[in-house]
Amino acid sequence: MKKTLSVGFTAILAFSLISPVYGDSSTTSSPGASTISAKVLAKLNQQFSTSEYVTYLVKLKDQVDTESVAKHAFQKASAEQISPAAAKLSVRKTVVNSLMDTAEKTQPSVEEYLKKEVNNGNVKKYKSYFIVNAFAVTSTKEVMDNLATLPEIDKILPDEKRELQKVEIDKDAQPVGEQSTANQAVADQTAVDPAVTVENAQKSVQESVYKDAVAPSRVEWNISKIKAPQVWAKGIDGKGIVVANLDTGVEYTHPALKRKWRGLNASGQVVNPELSWYDAVNGASLPTDSNGHGTHTMGTSVGSDSNGTNEIGVAPGAKWIAVRVFNPDSTDSILLDGGQWILAPVDKNGKKHPELAPDVVNNSWGGGPGLDEWYRPVTKAWRAAQIFPEFSAGNTTLSNPGGPGSVANPANLPEAYATGATDINNKLASFSLRGPSPYGEVKPEISAPGVNIRSSVPGGVYEGGWNGTSMAGPHTAGLAALLLQAKPSLTVDQLEDVISKTATPLTDSQYRTSPNNGYGYGLIDALAAVNSVLN
């Protein structure tokens, strides 16, 4: 595998939020103007031409090499011979402390200037970050230009809009229970190949989809397909593991999810909700979701009814926490805010708690194709803190019709583990974006069911027919939770290695060998993955 963290980490690559497009400094004469032109992305000047106040990101020069920090922390923990759980926590705290220390030492002069300009009315608002040593600022152009002249400032970048991965919902394809799921699978097979008789398709479905299910009348086809029920039969269902998502929020009162929210105690009472939920968009104090996307993806990771019906989740014993960053769109500053909270949830007094960070974070969102490193420091920090970073590969759009090299960022980053989408017949979904990555790597790394997926939606109900790599990704996040219960000492690199190497290789007429840039290493196999670490 390209990411080898047995105890060490990969060497640090270029550290930046985004590859800058420099303004033309040839038309400027003063040293100040030349400095501004070199640091400020040209697009920002255009935004100021139509608005007095613009929001932008200010990145400082001093940045933490989180991979190196984590490597040394692991070595120290190994020398002290502490338990794997204690080692992970020690590494995570060391990473967070290093990030916070750097921000505290380098940000004061910038913040002092911003506070002064708030009083002068030239700065509407600002927010500092430590996961990337940076600020989000809403100000006049004069303030931005003055910031650019400060020696500690590296780059000033637009606060770009980011869109949630759009999913297609087929209201006519909502299998509920064994028989309707089987009927839908039969219809899928006969539609693909008219030569396949209904009788043969029915036999094929029964053999390929349901033969291994513990309770086929209650388990969704996609959960059976990846052999999660056989793992549950071993007593492994994700218990003790925490899965998070950055999404549109989660309806915490949903019967498939309520008792699994970490913000509830054993009696079902809400306790310290701010440590298990963060709304970076609207500031809601309790988990909520007006869109449905986040509730659906979380259901696929951990959902199930208390009475044993509606087995929609891969790791139904796991707990969940969540961050709302889409409503339905988002911005870079909001996503940085949410990504930072994942690393260290914040209590009512503003104290950060890296010990309460999740073990896995699902990201069913993404941008365009190509080289765009704006979220790379966040993903690196998650990895360094031993938070498994799953990203959906992305779906075709009018601006990104797919094909080679189309996989979306941040899923195409070397530090992200990307999931593509397959259907009930293990065929790559037409909308699933393809590799290679801009770094020449195979992408996506893995595939999971993402066509006609039934899961939880707001209103306490369930809905099928959801199509998208957004639906595929949570399967991988759930599998990571199962593996971490089976062997808690697994590092992020080891998790990726296990999931990839135990997958069922998938090929077709376009991708004749495995791994490939359509299916990655193939369809995730929960049973094979868990058995490999148990053995």
Side-chain angles (χ1 to χ4, degrees):
M1 295 295 289
K2 60 182 178 298
K3 316 177 191 77
T4 56
L5 188 162
S6 54
V7 172
F9 283 75
T10 54
I12 183 73
L13 297 176
F15 194 103
S16 64
L17 275 171
I18 189 170
S19 300
V21 178
Y22 297 130
D24 182 6
S25 60
S26 62
T27 60
T28 63
S29 55
S30 69
S34 177
T35 300
I36 294 169
S37 179
K39 289 184 180 180
V40 177
L41 204 69
K43 182 178 180 179
L44 276 170
N45 292 318
Q46 300 170 3
Q47 293 180 3
F48 274 110
S49 68
T50 58
S51 179
E52 181 180 3
Y53 294 92
V54 172
T55 300
Y56 51 89
L57 300 175
V58 180
K59 185 191 169 196
L60 279 69
K61 288 181 179 177
D62 285 339
Q63 299 289 336
V64 177
D65 181 347
T66 50
E67 293 165 306
S68 179
V69 170
K71 176 181 178 180
H72 291 119
F74 261 117
Q75 290 172 343
K76 184 174 182 290
S78 178
E80 294 173 351
Q81 297 184 331
I82 59 178
S83 70
K88 279 191 177 184
L89 181 56
S90 176
V91 170
R92 182 174 296 170
K93 287 182 176 180
T94 302
V95 169
V96 172
N97 288 338
S98 179
L99 289 164
M100 291 176 61
D101 287 346
T102 298
E104 289 171 2
K105 290 176 181 176
T106 59
Q107 292 184 2
S109 60
V110 178
E111 187 160 17
E112 183 179 352
Y113 171 69
L114 291 173
K115 284 181 178 178
K116 183 185 76 172
E117 292 303 322
V118 167
N119 294 331
N120 293 337
N122 297 322
V123 173
K124 282 195 170 182
K125 62 180 180 178
Y126 72 88
K127 184 179 181 69
S128 66
Y129 303 97
F130 66 84
I131 194 165
V132 179
N133 192 12
F135 289 85
V137 181
T138 303
S139 77
T140 62
K141 186 176 186 302
E142 180 183 6
V143 169
M144 181 191 72
D145 288 345
N146 288 337
L147 286 170
T149 64
L150 298 177
E152 57 265 57
I153 301 304
D154 181 32
K155 300 171 188 172
I156 297 181
L157 312 163
D159 190 22
E160 300 280 11
K161 273 193 172 183
R162 304 288 170 174
E163 294 185 354
L164 189 69
Q165 285 182 0
K166 299 296 189 293
V167 300
E168 297 294 332
I169 304 175
D170 184 355
K171 296 288 186 178
D172 296 326
Q174 297 189 25
V176 180
E178 177 183 16
Q179 191 56 51
S180 55
T181 304
N183 290 342
Q184 179 62 42
V186 169
D188 289 344
Q189 286 199 19
T190 54
V192 170
D193 186 355
V196 176
T197 66
V198 171
E199 291 77 10
N200 287 339
Q202 288 174 337
K203 181 179 179 182
S204 172
V205 166
Q206 291 297 326
E207 290 177 350
S208 65
V209 180
Y210 300 117
K211 67 179 181 180
D212 295 321
V214 172
S217 62
R218 298 176 176 178
V219 180
E220 293 300 319
W221 75 265
N222 47 299
I223 304 302
S224 292
K225 173 72 78 172
I226 66 167
K227 302 178 184 176
Q230 296 95 302
V231 177
W232 308 339
K234 295 175 176 287
I236 298 170
D237 61 2
K239 184 177 181 180
I241 308 303
V242 178
V243 177
N245 70 5
L246 289 178
D247 216 301
T248 63
V250 176
E251 183 182 75
Y252 87 99
T253 56
H254 197 288
L257 297 170
K258 182 175 181 179
R259 69 194 185 283
K260 301 162 194 244
W261 180 41
R262 195 178 64 183
L264 297 182
N265 63 17
S267 302
Q269 298 171 318
V270 176
V271 179
N272 299 323
E274 72 282 356
L275 292 173
S276 297
W277 159 256
Y278 180 50
D279 188 346
V281 181
N282 298 327
S285 59
L286 291 174
T288 184
D289 179 12
S290 59
N291 178 282
H293 190 277
T295 301
H296 197 281
T297 58
M298 188 61 80
T300 300
S301 288
V302 304
S304 67
D305 271 339
S306 58
N307 61 6
T309 61
N310 290 302
E311 296 284 4
I312 58 172
V314 177
K319 294 287 186 180
W320 65 267
I321 61 176
V323 180
R324 174 152 66 179
V325 288
F326 286 95
N327 194 34
D329 296 330
S330 189
T331 63
D332 290 351
S333 59
I334 291 173
L335 285 160
L336 288 175
D337 194 18
Q340 179 171 284
W341 184 93
I342 287 291
L343 191 63
V346 183
D347 65 22
K348 292 179 180 178
N349 299 317
K351 182 180 179 182
K352 297 171 179 64
H353 292 267
E355 75 278 6
L356 294 178
D359 303 290
V360 182
V361 57
N362 181 74
N363 298 272
S364 288
W365 56 273
L371 191 65
D372 188 352
E373 297 194 317
W374 68 279
Y375 214 64
R376 193 173 187 185
V378 176
T379 311
K380 284 185 174 184
W382 285 347
R383 291 185 71 90
Q386 292 306 295
I387 301 169
F388 182 82
E390 191 287 322
F391 282 84
S392 295
N395 309 327
T396 56
T397 62
L398 291 176
S399 60
N400 185 3
S406 61
V407 63
N409 62 73
N412 64 15
L413 293 172
E415 294 79 18
Y417 194 68
T419 306
T422 53
D423 64 15
I424 199 168
N425 297 310
N426 293 347
K427 297 301 181 184
L428 189 64
S430 60
F431 54 75
S432 191
L433 296 180
R434 323 292 176 91
S437 78
Y439 307 89
E441 299 174 321
V442 169
K443 286 281 180 174
E445 279 88 351
I446 207 71
S447 298
V451 177
N452 194 14
I453 304 301
R454 180 175 178 269
S455 188
S456 46
V457 293
V461 296
Y462 300 84
E463 187 172 85
W466 285 52
N467 305 315
T469 57
S470 285
M471 287 54 262
H475 292 80
T476 304
L479 173 52
L482 295 178
L483 286 167
L484 284 169
Q485 182 192 355
K487 190 174 182 180
S489 63
L490 291 172
T491 65
V492 171
D493 289 340
Q494 290 168 343
L495 281 169
E496 294 184 352
D497 195 52
V498 168
I499 294 172
S500 296
K501 287 184 176 178
T502 59
T504 302
L506 295 177
T507 57
D508 58 26
S509 58
Q510 182 177 357
Y511 302 105
R512 297 182 181 276
T513 60
S514 182
N516 55 65
N517 286 305
Y519 302 92
Y521 282 81
L523 182 72
I524 60 172
D525 186 328
L527 182 61
V530 169
N531 279 342
S532 74
V533 300
L534 290 179
N535 293 337

